[in-house]
PDB file of all heavy atoms in Angstrom:
ATOM      1  N   THR A 415     163.724-116.888 213.246  1.00  0.00           N
ATOM      2  CA  THR A 415     163.253-117.174 214.591  1.00  0.00           C
ATOM      3  C   THR A 415     163.634-118.608 214.973  1.00  0.00           C
ATOM      4  O   THR A 415     163.667-119.480 214.112  1.00  0.00           O
ATOM      5  CB  THR A 415     161.719-116.955 214.663  1.00  0.00           C
ATOM      6  OG1 THR A 415     161.309-116.989 216.010  1.00  0.00           O
ATOM      7  CG2 THR A 415     160.942-117.996 213.897  1.00  0.00           C
ATOM      8  N   VAL A 416     163.927-118.791 216.240  1.00  0.00           N
ATOM      9  CA  VAL A 416     164.327-120.138 216.687  1.00  0.00           C
ATOM     10  C   VAL A 416     163.076-120.921 217.100  1.00  0.00           C
ATOM     11  O   VAL A 416     162.284-120.448 217.907  1.00  0.00           O
ATOM     12  CB  VAL A 416     165.315-120.055 217.870  1.00  0.00           C
ATOM     13  CG1 VAL A 416     165.582-121.446 218.449  1.00  0.00           C
ATOM     14  CG2 VAL A 416     166.606-119.403 217.424  1.00  0.00           C
ATOM     15  N   ILE A 417     162.919-122.108 216.513  1.00  0.00           N
ATOM     16  CA  ILE A 417     161.776-122.969 216.834  1.00  0.00           C
ATOM     17  C   ILE A 417     162.307-124.303 217.352  1.00  0.00           C
ATOM     18  O   ILE A 417     162.830-125.104 216.582  1.00  0.00           O
ATOM     19  CB  ILE A 417     160.898-123.203 215.588  1.00  0.00           C
ATOM     20  CG1 ILE A 417     160.372-121.873 215.067  1.00  0.00           C
ATOM     21  CG2 ILE A 417     159.752-124.173 215.921  1.00  0.00           C
ATOM     22  CD1 ILE A 417     159.570-121.978 213.788  1.00  0.00           C
ATOM     23  N   PRO A 418     162.204-124.536 218.651  1.00  0.00           N
ATOM     24  CA  PRO A 418     162.604-125.854 219.162  1.00  0.00           C
ATOM     25  C   PRO A 418     161.687-126.926 218.568  1.00  0.00           C
ATOM     26  O   PRO A 418     160.486-126.699 218.403  1.00  0.00           O
ATOM     27  CB  PRO A 418     162.393-125.745 220.669  1.00  0.00           C
ATOM     28  CG  PRO A 418     162.219-124.293 220.955  1.00  0.00           C
ATOM     29  CD  PRO A 418     161.687-123.659 219.724  1.00  0.00           C
ATOM     30  N   VAL A 419     162.277-128.070 218.258  1.00  0.00           N
ATOM     31  CA  VAL A 419     161.508-129.121 217.591  1.00  0.00           C
ATOM     32  C   VAL A 419     161.699-130.446 218.326  1.00  0.00           C
ATOM     33  O   VAL A 419     162.819-130.801 218.698  1.00  0.00           O
ATOM     34  CB  VAL A 419     161.979-129.273 216.121  1.00  0.00           C
ATOM     35  CG1 VAL A 419     161.298-130.456 215.452  1.00  0.00           C
ATOM     36  CG2 VAL A 419     161.709-127.994 215.325  1.00  0.00           C
ATOM     37  N   ASP A 420     160.600-131.161 218.503  1.00  0.00           N
ATOM     38  CA  ASP A 420     160.665-132.542 218.979  1.00  0.00           C
ATOM     39  C   ASP A 420     160.532-133.453 217.764  1.00  0.00           C
ATOM     40  O   ASP A 420     159.542-133.364 217.018  1.00  0.00           O
ATOM     41  CB  ASP A 420     159.500-132.868 219.936  1.00  0.00           C
ATOM     42  CG  ASP A 420     159.579-132.095 221.245  1.00  0.00           C
ATOM     43  OD1 ASP A 420     160.635-131.484 221.522  1.00  0.00           O
ATOM     44  OD2 ASP A 420     158.578-132.098 221.982  1.00  0.00           O
ATOM     45  N   LEU A 421     161.518-134.307 217.562  1.00  0.00           N
ATOM     46  CA  LEU A 421     161.468-135.279 216.464  1.00  0.00           C
ATOM     47  C   LEU A 421     161.218-136.646 217.094  1.00  0.00           C
ATOM     48  O   LEU A 421     161.973-137.075 217.977  1.00  0.00           O
ATOM     49  CB  LEU A 421     162.794-135.289 215.707  1.00  0.00           C
ATOM     50  CG  LEU A 421     163.199-133.959 215.058  1.00  0.00           C
ATOM     51  CD1 LEU A 421     164.675-133.972 214.679  1.00  0.00           C
ATOM     52  CD2 LEU A 421     162.355-133.675 213.817  1.00  0.00           C
ATOM     53  N   ILE A 422     160.155-137.307 216.665  1.00  0.00           N
ATOM     54  CA  ILE A 422     159.771-138.588 217.284  1.00  0.00           C
ATOM     55  C   ILE A 422     159.954-139.700 216.256  1.00  0.00           C
ATOM     56  O   ILE A 422     159.351-139.653 215.180  1.00  0.00           O
ATOM     57  CB  ILE A 422     158.300-138.544 217.751  1.00  0.00           C
ATOM     58  CG1 ILE A 422     158.089-137.370 218.723  1.00  0.00           C
ATOM     59  CG2 ILE A 422     157.907-139.875 218.405  1.00  0.00           C
ATOM     60  CD1 ILE A 422     156.638-137.130 219.090  1.00  0.00           C
ATOM     61  N   GLY A 423     160.800-140.662 216.586  1.00  0.00           N
ATOM     62  CA  GLY A 423     161.064-141.747 215.632  1.00  0.00           C
ATOM     63  C   GLY A 423     160.936-143.122 216.273  1.00  0.00           C
ATOM     64  O   GLY A 423     160.925-143.265 217.500  1.00  0.00           O
ATOM     65  N   PHE A 424     160.847-144.120 215.424  1.00  0.00           N
ATOM     66  CA  PHE A 424     160.736-145.524 215.869  1.00  0.00           C
ATOM     67  C   PHE A 424     161.720-146.373 215.082  1.00  0.00           C
ATOM     68  O   PHE A 424     161.951-146.125 213.898  1.00  0.00           O
ATOM     69  CB  PHE A 424     159.300-146.037 215.652  1.00  0.00           C
ATOM     70  CG  PHE A 424     158.296-145.312 216.506  1.00  0.00           C
ATOM     71  CD1 PHE A 424     157.702-144.136 216.058  1.00  0.00           C
ATOM     72  CD2 PHE A 424     157.986-145.774 217.773  1.00  0.00           C
ATOM     73  CE1 PHE A 424     156.806-143.441 216.850  1.00  0.00           C
ATOM     74  CE2 PHE A 424     157.083-145.086 218.577  1.00  0.00           C
ATOM     75  CZ  PHE A 424     156.486-143.917 218.121  1.00  0.00           C
ATOM     76  N   ALA A 425     162.257-147.381 215.741  1.00  0.00           N
ATOM     77  CA  ALA A 425     163.255-148.221 215.070  1.00  0.00           C
ATOM     78  C   ALA A 425     162.618-149.221 214.106  1.00  0.00           C
ATOM     79  O   ALA A 425     163.287-149.709 213.194  1.00  0.00           O
ATOM     80  CB  ALA A 425     164.089-148.973 216.112  1.00  0.00           C
ATOM     81  N   LYS A 426     161.339-149.512 214.317  1.00  0.00           N
ATOM     82  CA  LYS A 426     160.688-150.504 213.446  1.00  0.00           C
ATOM     83  C   LYS A 426     159.390-149.932 212.889  1.00  0.00           C
ATOM     84  O   LYS A 426     158.668-149.220 213.598  1.00  0.00           O
ATOM     85  CB  LYS A 426     160.328-151.762 214.252  1.00  0.00           C
ATOM     86  CG  LYS A 426     161.505-152.565 214.730  1.00  0.00           C
ATOM     87  CD  LYS A 426     160.994-153.772 215.507  1.00  0.00           C
ATOM     88  CE  LYS A 426     162.126-154.487 216.201  1.00  0.00           C
ATOM     89  NZ  LYS A 426     161.641-155.321 217.302  1.00  0.00           N
ATOM     90  N   SER A 427     159.122-150.328 211.659  1.00  0.00           N
ATOM     91  CA  SER A 427     157.846-149.959 211.043  1.00  0.00           C
ATOM     92  C   SER A 427     156.819-151.041 211.319  1.00  0.00           C
ATOM     93  O   SER A 427     157.157-152.221 211.430  1.00  0.00           O
ATOM     94  CB  SER A 427     158.037-149.822 209.535  1.00  0.00           C
ATOM     95  OG  SER A 427     156.781-149.703 208.912  1.00  0.00           O
TER      96      SER A 427
END
Side-chain angles (χ1 to χ4, degrees):
T415 191
V416 173
I417 300 176
V419 174
D420 293 348
L421 300 164
I422 303 172
F424 295 88
K426 292 180 189 160
S427 170

